[in-house]
Amino acid sequence: MSVEKAVRHLDAEVFVVDNNSVDGSVEMVSTRFTWVKVIANKENTGFSKANNQAMHVANGEYFLLLNPDTLVEEDTFQKVIQFMDEHPDAGGLGVKMVDGKGNFLPESKRGLTTPEVAFYKIFGISKLFPRSARFNKYYLGNLSNDEVNEVDILSGAFMLMRKKALDKVGLLDEAFFMYGEDIDLSWRIIQGGWKNYYFPLTRIIHYKGESTKKGSLNYVFVFYNAMVIFAKKHFSEKNARLFSFFINMAIWLRAAVAIVSRFFKTIFLPLLDVTTILAGLFLVKNQYAIYQNKIYDDQLVTYAFGSYVLIWCVNTWFAGGYDKPIKPLKIIRPVVIGSAFILIAYSLLPESMRFSRAMILFGNGVALVSMFLIRVAYNIIANGRSGLEKTSGRRFALVGSNEEINRVKTILVQTNYEVGFMVQVSPSLTINPGDVGHMHQLDEIVRVHNIDQVVFCARDVSSSDIISTMSAIEEKNVEFKIAPPESLYIIGSNSIETTGDVFMLDVNSVSLTRNKRAKRLFDVAMSLLFLPLLPVLIFLVKKPAGLFANIFSVFTGKKSWVGYCAEVHSSQEIKLASAKLPKLKSGVLNPLSVYPASARTAENIQKLNVVYAKDYRFSNDLSIVWNGRKDLGN
């Protein structure tokens, strides 16, 4: 969309190279953007080879590599071409990049990653001296973010290159599958006698910048291994070995830190619950024993208390009591239900294994109080709030015309977002009825109305104004979204610490943590149920041998009993909706299993996929499995 506006007054070719994606993007681009030249690969050839395919057949004086998760200003291409024309020594150029919250991305300008530079970055020394020419050479911290400068390395997210330079030094090295190829080509351009420039007089939004991906352990391995390839190619044997040593240290250090950190974050709250409840139970037991003048069997008490705590905590986990945001009141129902289950089980035990029904009731109180107070304290320490406040939903500012804002409102109210408040902002200085102000007052509007979500209607607001406004807003806890015209999507950046930055708001129900857990629980429960029923089921299903294999595959997590419909051919609007569906495991059955063969049209297939993702229910899976029981062996 932004590229279409940016090339409007230029003689330009636009190529989209698809590496065997399965989200319908090839059909979408071919249908909606007929002026784009699409190269559809039958396999994932990697970043370098895919871009080389386009550059081999492209015509023109300049070649631009541009990531699909970017948004450019309307005059970006005109400005960078003019600069290159005025600087014949320029072989490559990169621009100022900001993330989805308007924050400057340091990878916009980088120095060559030598062993010394790598050492300072890997061990965090560069962060201690962010403006140092020596200690933060990786991100060229000594250079201004707002001034044109020569740099060593350009980012592959936006990498403009002179064709004459590429004719001399070659295209991307296909030994790099992903990451590192931009560093290699940038350095070869300099070695070929040309210069690379950082050009901040135009900006782009890059949703998935390095800072958004670096939390991924897979990114660490792939990126740093690419650095090893670069070192072996360009450094002396001694320096390459030293560089590889630092890189391997970084990989294992980051991997260890990530695993340990993730482990403690996962078990911290459950472990605190278990410890606190057990301590409370033994304290109450001791006081109650003194009051009753009784002596309890320590071994029996230990087993009993361990079972109680396990039931309360597991029940709380299934009910979402450990999901973030942590809500103190969310533990009441699972603890009470768990206590009821314990009392029923207790009544079925032989007399020798019972020691006190009263202790179960006291324990219920201990669990409720301790888990409640732990969550209140956790929230106060982490967020400055108890978590007991009544949430009024997210507060939106919608920037655009009445027509587009009404369309965006329709999308928002159909989402799983808690929409509590919306204000309308004019994209121009003309304020219409219903507007609380115009876009140049957005910073004040955000502050006065306590806005946490800003949605720009791209039909009415230029890319330049979007980027400028994002960067100008002082409140950095605001999330920015962009609503492309005539689409079902609202795109934006959730957080620089997550990878799910570009998303569709209206089909994310099945990806919610509680629903993923419920779906997995359903799969395991059905597998355990089907196993003893096999002697009966083999006479009901069409392929008995396949049923046994499916039970094993679903139980081990390789498959799910219910997944998406497999076919992906349909109208443009439904195609757009299904392109960003949350990922699910391959299903034995699908929503279409409950319909007759005559209903299995391409249109119905895509609609059912969208509806299934948007309105996921545990009962939906149960209904699909029951109605499709004859096909459980497929």
Side-chain angles (χ1 to χ4, degrees):
M1 180 189 67
S2 65
V3 171
E4 183 176 12
K5 294 179 180 179
V7 301
R8 189 164 293 168
H9 302 295
L10 296 173
D11 180 15
E13 294 177 297
V14 177
F15 290 83
V16 170
V17 185
D18 181 84
N19 268 339
N20 196 31
S21 65
V22 294
D23 60 5
S25 54
V26 171
E27 294 85 352
M28 184 271 289
V29 173
S30 300
T31 303
R32 188 169 178 181
F33 304 98
T34 54
W35 48 275
V36 171
K37 299 178 181 180
V38 178
I39 300 175
N41 291 324
K42 299 302 181 183
E43 60 182 358
N44 185 358
T45 61
F47 182 88
S48 296
K49 190 170 183 177
N51 278 287
N52 284 347
Q53 285 177 273
M55 289 191 284
H56 279 307
V57 297
N59 301 298
E61 188 177 348
Y62 302 110
F63 289 167
L64 171 66
L65 306 185
L66 183 68
N67 269 26
D69 57 344
T70 56
L71 181 124
V72 301
E73 295 179 310
E74 286 77 6
D75 59 356
T76 290
F77 297 160
Q78 291 177 335
K79 284 184 176 180
V80 296
I81 289 173
Q82 181 180 348
F83 181 88
M84 295 289 280
D85 287 342
E86 294 172 355
H87 295 76
D89 62 341
L93 175 145
V95 297
K96 184 176 185 179
M97 299 188 294
V98 299
D99 65 16
K101 288 192 174 183
N103 301 312
F104 175 75
L105 288 172
E107 58 264 31
S108 301
K109 51 181 176 65
R110 288 179 293 176
L112 180 65
T113 311
T114 62
E116 181 184 12
V117 172
F119 176 84
Y120 295 143
K121 183 176 187 295
I122 289 169
F123 291 97
I125 299 174
S126 59
K127 290 184 178 180
L128 299 176
F129 305 95
R131 300 298 178 190
S132 170
R134 178 176 182 180
F135 295 119
N136 192 21
K137 190 175 181 181
Y138 187 86
Y139 288 132
L140 299 176
N142 61 307
L143 300 183
S144 169
N145 296 341
D146 301 312
E147 295 178 3
V148 176
N149 275 292
E150 291 183 34
V151 295
D152 293 333
I153 306 301
L154 306 173
S155 170
F158 185 106
M159 191 171 180
L160 181 68
M161 296 164 291
R162 192 182 300 273
K163 185 175 184 299
K164 287 183 180 178
L166 294 179
D167 288 340
K168 182 176 181 180
V169 304
L171 302 180
L172 294 167
D173 187 341
E174 295 178 10
F176 297 87
F177 185 82
M178 183 175 291
Y179 306 129
E181 61 284 308
D182 49 357
I183 298 175
D184 173 70
L185 183 52
S186 297
W187 188 238
R188 283 192 282 122
I189 289 174
I190 292 177
Q191 288 181 315
W194 304 85
K195 294 180 180 179
N196 291 324
Y197 283 93
Y198 166 65
F199 182 75
L201 305 184
T202 188
R203 299 155 301 177
I204 70 168
I205 299 177
H206 184 206
Y207 287 109
K208 295 183 181 179
E210 274 185 24
S211 56
T212 69
K213 296 179 292 188
K214 65 184 180 182
S216 164
L217 196 56
N218 181 62
Y219 167 76
V220 173
F221 280 100
V222 176
F223 178 76
Y224 284 161
N225 280 325
M227 294 298 94
V228 171
I229 297 174
F230 176 83
K232 290 179 178 178
K233 180 176 179 179
H234 293 284
F235 296 161
S236 65
E237 185 177 346
K238 178 182 178 181
N239 283 339
R241 284 201 304 269
L242 181 61
F243 189 89
S244 298
F245 172 75
F246 286 137
I247 292 300
N248 284 311
M249 280 187 61
I251 290 175
W252 293 112
L253 181 63
R254 289 283 295 275
V257 169
I259 292 171
V260 172
S261 174
R262 193 174 302 151
F263 175 74
F264 279 105
K265 284 181 180 178
T266 302
I267 71 163
F268 173 74
L269 198 55
L271 187 62
L272 191 59
D273 281 342
V274 169
T275 304
T276 307
I277 296 172
L278 281 175
L281 285 173
F282 279 105
L283 180 63
V284 170
K285 186 267 295 182
N286 292 338
Q287 295 302 315
Y288 187 67
I290 294 173
Y291 176 76
Q292 291 286 327
N293 195 26
K294 287 185 176 181
I295 298 176
Y296 295 111
D297 184 326
D298 288 341
Q299 186 176 20
L300 179 61
V301 169
T302 301
Y303 285 136
F305 285 176
S307 301
Y308 300 167
V309 173
L310 181 65
I311 291 171
W312 286 324
C313 290
V314 169
N315 219 29
T316 300
W317 180 79
F318 277 119
Y322 293 107
D323 295 344
K324 293 184 178 180
I326 301 297
K327 297 181 179 179
L329 296 177
K330 216 170 185 179
I331 57 97
I332 296 176
R333 181 182 294 178
V335 171
V336 171
I337 292 175
S339 298
F341 177 81
I342 293 170
L343 284 169
I344 293 171
Y346 180 88
S347 65
L348 300 175
L349 292 174
E351 192 66 34
S352 60
M353 297 184 66
R354 305 180 195 176
F355 76 94
S356 174
R357 186 176 277 103
M359 277 305 305
I360 298 175
L361 299 178
F362 288 143
N364 178 77
V366 169
L368 284 172
V369 172
S370 64
M371 294 174 80
F372 177 82
L373 293 178
I374 284 171
R375 280 151 181 76
V376 170
Y378 178 92
N379 282 327
I380 291 174
I381 295 171
N383 309 312
R385 298 192 299 267
S386 66
L388 298 172
E389 301 85 2
K390 185 178 179 181
T391 57
S392 56
R394 302 194 182 204
R395 303 175 68 84
F396 285 84
L398 311 179
V399 186
S401 64
N402 286 333
E403 181 184 359
E404 278 295 278
I405 284 178
N406 288 334
R407 186 180 67 83
V408 171
K409 284 181 178 179
T410 301
I411 296 176
L412 289 175
V413 297
Q414 294 176 354
T415 70
N416 290 292
Y417 271 38
E418 297 176 355
V419 180
F421 178 79
M422 286 190 281
V423 295
Q424 186 168 313
V425 181
S426 172
S428 66
L429 295 177
T430 302
I431 298 179
N432 300 309
D435 294 335
V436 298
H438 54 75
M439 192 168 65
H440 299 293
Q441 299 171 312
L442 194 55
D443 191 25
E444 184 179 357
I445 292 170
V446 166
R447 186 170 59 254
V448 170
H449 294 280
N450 197 25
I451 300 297
D452 52 37
Q453 306 276 324
V454 176
V455 181
F456 297 100
C457 299
R459 195 193 73 174
D460 307 315
V461 187
S462 69
S463 300
S464 299
D465 286 341
I466 291 174
I467 297 173
S468 296
T469 304
M470 287 168 53
S471 301
I473 290 181
E474 295 180 0
E475 178 53 64
K476 292 304 180 184
N477 289 324
V478 176
E479 293 184 12
F480 297 99
K481 309 287 188 289
I482 299 172
E486 301 177 1
S487 76
L488 298 176
Y489 300 99
I490 295 178
I491 61 175
S493 179
N494 294 321
S495 162
I496 64 170
E497 296 177 353
T498 63
T499 58
D501 300 283
V502 182
F503 59 96
M504 191 168 98
L505 289 175
D506 57 347
V507 290
N508 63 356
S509 174
V510 75
S511 66
L512 296 177
T513 302
R514 64 175 180 271
N515 285 336
K516 288 195 291 186
R517 183 167 53 237
K519 188 168 178 59
R520 180 60 187 148
L521 177 62
F522 174 84
D523 283 341
V524 173
M526 288 294 100
S527 299
L528 293 175
L529 177 64
F530 290 156
L531 200 57
L533 292 178
L534 266 177
V536 177
L537 291 175
I538 57 175
F539 297 103
L540 300 178
V541 300
K542 295 177 182 177
K543 299 178 181 178
L547 174 60
F548 182 79
N550 285 337
I551 290 174
F552 180 78
S553 296
V554 173
F555 185 78
T556 56
K558 294 179 180 179
K559 286 185 177 181
S560 174
W561 285 115
V562 182
Y564 291 133
C565 308
E567 299 178 43
V568 288
H569 303 289
S570 67
S571 72
Q572 185 58 34
E573 192 69 4
I574 300 299
K575 179 71 70 178
L576 287 171
S578 63
K580 293 293 181 182
L581 288 175
K583 290 183 179 180
L584 293 179
K585 291 184 175 67
S586 175
V588 176
L589 303 174
N590 58 64
L592 207 58
S593 301
V594 301
Y595 291 91
S598 60
R600 300 182 183 185
T601 65
E603 196 75 8
N604 285 342
I605 287 171
Q606 291 303 327
K607 285 181 179 178
L608 285 170
N609 282 343
V610 173
V611 170
Y612 180 79
K614 177 185 172 185
D615 299 317
Y616 175 78
R617 298 287 186 277
F618 187 94
S619 56
N620 291 347
D621 279 359
L622 190 60
S623 175
I624 291 169
V625 168
W626 172 255
N627 287 282
R629 55 190 180 277
K630 292 182 179 179
D631 297 318
L632 287 172
N634 289 350

